[in-house]
């Protein structure tokens, strides 16, 4: 992280802290609003997720959120994200529904998930329904498969023994050690080799099968709240939308002996699957014992990864089906492509509020006047907005002495398509292009 | 003319409109407007006319109107469609009022 990054991030961290929020480390783009050199609003983007929204109390009711969201939309589209979703406190849901978002799952008083595509969820359930298979009971299994092990194979095959059909969902985000594309390929190959393969349907990931790894935490204080919010959102989407589309009656999960957090997750999931106050049929919940080996109490993907890191290929083969170990060998043979996204997890953590506050004043003193340069003098106290992109890269933005060459006077400069400036494609997930766009709104 | 890729035009400022277009097998228009009660039907008619002039027969059009004037709605819609395709717009046809 360069000095420029740290300062941009620190200013935002301090502002979020003042609003009782935190910066989630996976946010790579921020739209910020400034008035008289002071940060008065921010909105973050992590992949397709809009979060870390805060507006200074004195500037509420000025549609600042709408301006920031417009900036974020253009930035998101440049990054290939045309459809956004948003996690926030239920009390703020209305602010986002006024800007074109629609709530799709809520845990009262804790968290709400909204999406901006009025047909997103219904399109998804329609696509699932097209893959519905006859028979009963119907099982559902969600795996991250990072990578696919004999334990996953055991869980899925066990479910298939109990059910006419089993639907397997692979968590779809590129935040695990292995890329989504590789995890999905390993699940598909592994499932195809199972005795019950003909009765198992593998579904690609979607934003409606939420990853615990990427669940936003910026507005949640306690780890217990995060767990409750995540479970409530994820399991409601499963029970109210995914299960009815496919006729899923039973959900199977692996026992989680290693972690109190995941044990609590399972208990909360059982509750959400059967509680009567949800307008969808209950789903039976089954916790399946983990598969063990004589020298391994239970098989886990993390054990596979540590053996892989140690180059213990015999050990890897002991824990994974041949489909996975073959796939891993092929990945290892082309190291550039096999790049695991562990660097992402190593993204710099947010500074503490004290650290952030310490350098905030300094940072704001250095904010280039570029962001107000084409505002008539008599309007110079108007709020301006700007994009701070790719916080963990070499952002020259907030402390640049001169505006970068690509700084553009109007938000329309963020237009996409022919002729528009395009960000450089990153070679690796962790190498972000340098970008600071002044996005002056008239 | 087809919507070949996702595109947006406009803003969420007062008196403007944000238009999002996406590829879709059939034509679907979603309108939310601050002045829905007063002008909803007129805006819908304007959108339909503009799409017809542009020759857009399929695609998903999501429009968040903040009370934009007709010329603004038309310009934003044309811009979003133009950004969604590599085909040149037929401005002569657009000129027909």
């Amino acid at each position: 992280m360069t000095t420029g990054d740290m300062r941009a991030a620190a200013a935002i961290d301090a502002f979020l802290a003042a609003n009782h929020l935190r910066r989630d480390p996976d946010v790579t783009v921020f739209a910020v609003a400034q008035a008289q050199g002071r940060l008065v609003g921010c909105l973050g983007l992590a992949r397709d997720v809009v979060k870390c929204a805060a507006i200074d109390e004195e500037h509420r009711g000025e549609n600042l959120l709408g301006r920031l969201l417009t900036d974020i939309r253009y930035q998101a589209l440049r990054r290939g994200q045309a459809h956004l979703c948003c996690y926030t406190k239920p009390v703020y849901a209305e602010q986002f529904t006024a800007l074109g978002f629609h709530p799709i799952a809520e845990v009262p008083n804790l968290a709400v998930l909204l999406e901006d595509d009025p047909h997103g969820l219904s399109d998804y359930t329609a696509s699932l329904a097209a893959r519905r298979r006859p028979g009963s009971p119907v099982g559902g299994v969600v795996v991250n498969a990072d990578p696919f092990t004999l334990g996953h194979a055991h869980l899925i095959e066990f479910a298939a023994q109990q059910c006419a059909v089993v639907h397997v969902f692979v968590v779809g985000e590129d935040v695990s050690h292995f890329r989504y594309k590789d995890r999905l390929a390993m699940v598909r190959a592994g499932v195809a080799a199972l005795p019950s393969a003909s009765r198992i349907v593998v579904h690609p990931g979607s934003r409606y099968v939420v990853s615990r790894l990427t669940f936003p935490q910026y507005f949640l204080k306690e780890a217990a709240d995060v767990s409750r919010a995540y479970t409530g959102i994820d399991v409601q989407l499963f029970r109210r939308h995914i299960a009815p589309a496919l006729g899923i009656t039973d959900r199977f999960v692996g026992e989680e002996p290693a972690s109190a957090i995941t044990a609590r997750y399972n208990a909360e999931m059982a509750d959400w699957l059967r509680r009567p106050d949800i307008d969808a049929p209950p789903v039976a919940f089954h916790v399946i014992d983990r598969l063990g080996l004589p020298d391994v109490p239970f098989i886990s993907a993390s054990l596979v990864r540590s053996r892989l890191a140690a180059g213990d290929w015999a050990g890897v083969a002991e824990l994974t089906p041949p489909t996975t170990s073959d796939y891993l060998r092929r990945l290892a043979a082309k190291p550039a492509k096999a790049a695991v996204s562990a660097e992402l997890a190593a993204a710099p953590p947010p500074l503490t509020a004290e650290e952030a506050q310490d350098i905030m004043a300094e940072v704001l003193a250095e904010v280039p006047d570029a962001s107000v340069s084409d505002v008539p003098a008599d309007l110079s106290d108007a709020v301006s907005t700007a994009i701070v992109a790719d916080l963990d890269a070499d952002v020259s933005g907030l402390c640049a002495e001169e505006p970068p060459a690509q700084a553009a006077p109007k938000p329309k400069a963020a237009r996409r398509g022919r002729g528009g400036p395009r960000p450089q494609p990153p070679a690796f997930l962790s190498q972000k292009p340098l970008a600071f766009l002044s996005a002056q709104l008239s | 003319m087809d919507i070949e890729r996702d595109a947006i035009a406009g803003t969420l400022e007062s008196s403007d409109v944000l238009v999002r277009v996406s590829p879709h097998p059939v034509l679907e228009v979603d309108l939310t407007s601050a002045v829905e009660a007063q002008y909803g039907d007129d805006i819908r008619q304007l959108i339909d006319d503009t799409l017809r002039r542009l020759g857009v027969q399929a695609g998903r059009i999501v429009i968040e109107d903040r009370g934009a004037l007709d010329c603004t709605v038309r310009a934003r819609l044309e811009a979003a469609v133009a950004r969604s395709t590599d085909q040149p717009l037929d401005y002569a046809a657009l000129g027909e009022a």
Side-chain angles (χ1 to χ4, degrees), chain B residues 18-90:
Chain B
L18 184 76
V19 177
R20 294 183 270 154
V21 302
S22 309
H24 195 64
V26 294
L27 185 62
E28 283 182 10
V29 177
D30 274 280
L31 170 70
T32 49
S33 174
V35 291
E36 172 87 53
Q38 300 95 320
Y39 299 111
D41 291 344
D42 291 348
I43 302 167
R44 266 175 244 280
Q45 186 65 48
L46 173 66
I47 293 164
D48 289 349
D49 287 350
T50 308
L51 290 172
R52 202 180 53 247
R53 285 207 198 90
L54 290 166
V56 175
Q57 286 164 352
R60 189 165 266 165
I61 321 289
V62 179
I63 297 177
E64 289 154 56
D65 174 43
R66 291 285 182 275
L69 295 173
D70 284 8
C71 55
T72 310
V73 174
R74 226 171 72 162
R76 295 303 196 192
L77 190 51
E78 288 169 12
V81 171
R83 290 169 185 173
S84 76
T85 172
D86 291 323
Q87 301 170 51
L89 284 196
D90 182 354

Side-chain angles (χ1 to χ4, degrees), chain A residues 84-366:
Chain A
L84 305 178
C85 61
C86 169
Y87 288 90
T88 188
K89 292 179 192 170
V91 63
Y92 297 127
E94 208 177 306
Q95 315 245 356
F96 285 93
T97 56
L99 297 171
F101 281 79
H102 310 265
I104 56 173
E106 178 174 337
V107 180
N109 302 321
L110 205 56
V112 58
L113 168 62
L114 308 97
E115 68 173 349
D116 72 352
D117 182 350
H119 307 278
L121 186 54
S122 56
D123 278 1
Y124 176 64
T125 52
S127 76
L128 287 181
R131 302 187 70 194
R132 191 172 174 141
R133 299 260 197 103
S136 176
V138 178
V141 179
V142 177
V143 292
N144 192 25
D146 191 29
F148 188 80
T149 67
L150 284 173
H152 298 113
H154 168 74
L155 172 63
I156 294 167
E157 180 60 25
F158 181 93
Q161 299 292 335
Q162 319 291 314
C163 295
V165 184
V166 171
H167 294 278
V168 177
F169 299 86
V170 183
V171 173
E173 282 144 351
D174 265 328
V175 289
S176 301
H177 297 81
F178 291 93
R179 292 180 306 178
Y180 163 66
K181 160 178 164 294
D182 294 321
R183 291 186 289 109
L184 180 62
M186 286 187 272
V187 173
R188 288 208 157 118
V191 164
L194 291 176
S196 304
S198 65
R199 294 184 292 110
I200 303 170
V201 185
V202 176
H203 297 270
S206 80
R207 70 160 55 140
Y208 311 105
V209 178
V210 184
S211 167
R212 214 179 323 171
L213 295 172
T214 58
F215 191 79
Q217 318 202 346
Y218 74 97
F219 59 96
L220 298 164
K221 293 266 181 300
E222 311 281 338
D225 284 346
V226 175
S227 170
R228 272 209 308 138
Y230 163 69
T231 311
I233 299 278
D234 182 52
V235 182
Q236 274 186 73
L237 287 172
F238 182 82
R239 180 171 162 194
R240 297 184 60 219
H241 302 283
I242 296 171
L246 291 165
I248 292 172
T249 53
D250 294 71
R251 173 124 177 210
F252 296 83
V253 303
E255 199 194 356
E256 298 280 2
S259 158
I261 293 171
T262 45
R264 184 168 58 203
Y265 169 63
N266 281 356
E268 286 166 351
M269 177 151 67
D271 180 51
W272 280 107
L273 286 172
R274 67 171 172 240
R275 57 194 284 176
D277 58 346
I278 289 182
D279 56 345
V283 174
F285 181 64
H286 309 275
V287 179
I288 308 307
D289 284 346
R290 285 283 195 104
L291 191 62
L293 296 172
D295 60 329
V296 176
F298 62 93
I299 294 173
S300 72
S302 60
L303 185 57
V304 175
R305 294 196 302 271
S306 63
R307 288 186 176 182
L308 197 59
D312 176 8
W313 284 99
V316 170
E318 187 191 16
L319 304 176
T320 59
T323 50
T324 294
S325 44
D326 290 352
Y327 195 94
L328 294 176
R329 277 179 195 281
R330 285 202 300 277
L331 272 186
K334 38 176 185 174
K337 298 261 172 156
V340 296
S341 53
E343 295 94 332
L344 257 194
L351 297 170
T352 68
E354 292 76 25
E355 286 172 324
Q357 196 70 56
D358 279 348
I359 40 181
M360 186 179 181
E362 184 192 348
V363 171
L364 291 174
E366 294 180 37

